[in-house]
Amino acid sequence: MASASRARMLKALCDGRPLAVTVLAAEAGVSVPTASVHLTRLAEAGLVRAEHSGRHRYFRLAGPDVVTALEALAVIAPPDPAPVTTLRAHSRRNALRRSRTCYDHLAGSLGVLLMEGFLDQGLLRREEDVPASGRRPDRPASYGRRATYHLTPRGAERFTGFGIDVDALLRGRRPVVRYCVDWSERRHHLAGALGAALAARFFDLTWLRYGVSPRVVHLTDAGGSGVRDAFAIEVAD
């Protein structure tokens, strides 16, 4: 991960979709042969895995744990700290911060806004386990074991009405509600099985569309009005 080229490839893969070597080479700013060497090293380290489709080779992250590690590192060392020198790069960075995928759930300002809206409306509940020693609870911009989120009965009803099979989520092995620390917003966004199901539902309804750059997603006009009608959350243009 210390290599800037490999770090850019890993960042591009963080939405969970497989990407071709040519795409990853362009993201890293290197030639395809050089990208192949980097990807081989990442595969040997267990961070990515290759998939073949006919004559083409694609790569994806080895699993969600890799994303968790990358997002945690990004909190203390944000990706691409170099100054932006072109309008295209500036627009791309803004789009990434506004709304992106974090493996299979939503991140960026959109993801954080949804998380806070769910909490405000009582669909989720945050609990703080403050130790007897008087240490401060976990800050929103940090990972820890003392902050936990739970799905409320009201939330289960609302998400079920939205078309998410909450009962199936509760029976599954994956935690229903987890959080990630959003590296750009320095606050929590919704992860876990519920976060993944919510993002998938948004795509099914065409409320979201993928952007040109990896990880970037855009809320459509239908998505903006849909989020407002379904969850009473106003998303700014």
Side-chain angles (χ1 to χ4, degrees):
M1 295 183 191
S3 162
S5 296
R6 290 195 289 273
R8 292 190 187 103
M9 291 180 187
L10 290 170
K11 185 184 75 171
L13 290 167
C14 277
D15 69 354
R17 292 182 297 166
L19 295 177
V21 178
T22 52
V23 174
L24 292 169
E27 285 295 311
V30 298
S31 67
V32 172
T34 299
S36 295
V37 172
H38 284 308
L39 289 165
T40 297
R41 293 195 63 181
L42 290 172
E44 290 172 347
L47 297 175
V48 303
R49 56 185 174 86
E51 297 179 352
H52 295 271
S53 178
R55 297 169 57 186
H56 301 284
R57 187 170 59 149
Y58 297 84
F59 284 86
R60 68 163 70 238
L61 293 183
D65 289 345
V66 179
V67 181
T68 300
L70 293 172
E71 289 288 314
L73 288 172
V75 172
I76 58 175
D80 290 341
V84 174
T85 58
T86 66
L87 178 60
R88 180 180 180 183
H90 178 75
S91 299
R92 181 175 178 177
R93 180 171 292 186
N94 283 344
L96 191 67
R97 290 174 178 270
R98 183 171 57 250
S99 51
R100 64 182 182 273
T101 50
C102 176
Y103 199 67
D104 58 3
H105 55 272
L106 292 173
S109 58
L110 175 61
V112 169
L113 180 66
L114 291 172
M115 179 75 153
E116 293 178 346
F118 297 155
L119 288 167
D120 290 342
Q121 295 178 41
L123 309 184
L124 299 176
R125 183 182 75 255
R126 175 181 170 122
E127 289 187 355
E128 296 281 1
D129 181 16
V130 181
S133 62
R135 288 180 297 173
R136 292 189 302 173
D138 295 326
R139 296 177 293 111
S142 66
Y143 284 94
R145 297 180 180 275
R146 299 192 296 273
T148 56
Y149 294 92
H150 304 276
L151 178 65
T152 66
R154 181 179 181 182
E157 181 179 359
R158 179 76 65 84
F159 290 119
T160 298
F162 183 58
I164 293 176
D165 190 345
V166 173
D167 289 337
L169 300 185
L170 294 171
R171 293 193 302 268
R173 298 179 61 183
R174 184 177 183 182
V176 175
V177 178
R178 294 187 66 179
Y179 73 87
C180 286
V181 178
D182 200 278
W183 60 260
S184 59
E185 295 295 307
R186 299 286 170 158
R187 288 177 286 172
H188 295 169
H189 64 245
L190 178 63
L194 179 59
L198 186 74
R201 183 63 175 152
F202 276 26
F203 278 113
D204 288 343
L205 294 171
T206 66
W207 288 9
L208 285 176
R209 63 175 176 85
Y210 283 107
V212 175
S213 302
R215 298 194 66 185
V216 172
V217 295
H218 299 288
L219 191 69
T220 63
D221 291 340
S225 58
V227 169
R228 181 175 60 250
D229 295 341
F231 299 106
I233 298 174
E234 193 72 39
V235 181
D237 295 332

